[in-house]
Amino acid sequence: MTAGWIGTGKVRAREDGDAVEIVIDGLTTQAKYYKPLVYEFMRKEWRGARPSWGDHVVEIRMEHVGEPPWMDLDNLAKALLDSIKGYLFHDDAQVARLVVERREGERERITIRSYPRRD
């Protein structure tokens, strides 16, 4: 990864303008695994942008190699939104646009990108 990343374990994050990008290495079929993993990263390591008010856009991309893991994307999205709530925005009711996708990639990982909505 490039400079500007915070974190050295399974979870890393960086600010990219007014957006925050979080990368989680590896996949599991248990969506509930991600909530404490990302929450603990945000609580212990994240020192970037503080939560803001207003509408936000959150994009979640799960990349897999070979057959996709058997996981409901809505459960994954809920676990990840719960883990970043209070760090990137105050309440997940502020998420005005949510995009969740699964696709084949070069490595197994999840990427979250959150930024204020601009209309």
Side-chain angles (χ1 to χ4, degrees):
M1 296 273 158
T2 60
W5 289 92
I6 298 167
T8 56
K10 286 187 169 285
V11 181
R12 291 181 309 284
R14 70 175 176 176
E15 291 184 82
D16 182 16
D18 62 354
V20 173
E21 185 175 15
I22 302 168
V23 175
I24 307 158
D25 289 330
L27 293 178
T28 178
T29 58
Q30 299 297 313
K32 63 184 178 184
Y33 165 82
Y34 296 105
K35 183 177 178 178
L37 180 71
V38 176
Y39 174 81
E40 285 301 308
F41 168 82
M42 298 303 286
R43 187 176 72 82
K44 292 179 179 177
E45 297 187 50
W46 180 247
R47 299 290 178 258
R50 305 313 317 145
S52 61
W53 293 103
D55 286 347
H56 281 69
V57 175
V58 178
E59 300 166 350
I60 300 170
R61 183 176 62 241
M62 176 208 300
E63 294 179 60
H64 61 88
V65 176
E67 289 297 313
W70 191 258
M71 181 189 330
D72 292 340
L73 290 180
D74 60 324
N75 293 336
L76 175 65
K78 181 64 176 157
L80 294 173
L81 289 174
D82 285 347
S83 69
I84 61 176
K85 176 178 60 181
Y87 294 97
L88 304 184
F89 41 81
H90 294 281
D91 188 275
D92 52 6
Q94 292 176 250
V95 178
R97 182 169 185 262
L98 175 63
V99 178
V100 186
E101 71 174 330
R102 176 183 63 221
R103 67 180 191 190
E104 193 156 353
E106 295 178 13
R107 65 175 52 142
E108 294 189 334
R109 68 180 163 201
I110 296 171
T111 304
I112 307 164
R113 187 168 171 82
S114 177
Y115 51 93
R117 183 173 183 169
R118 307 248 187 282
D119 286 330

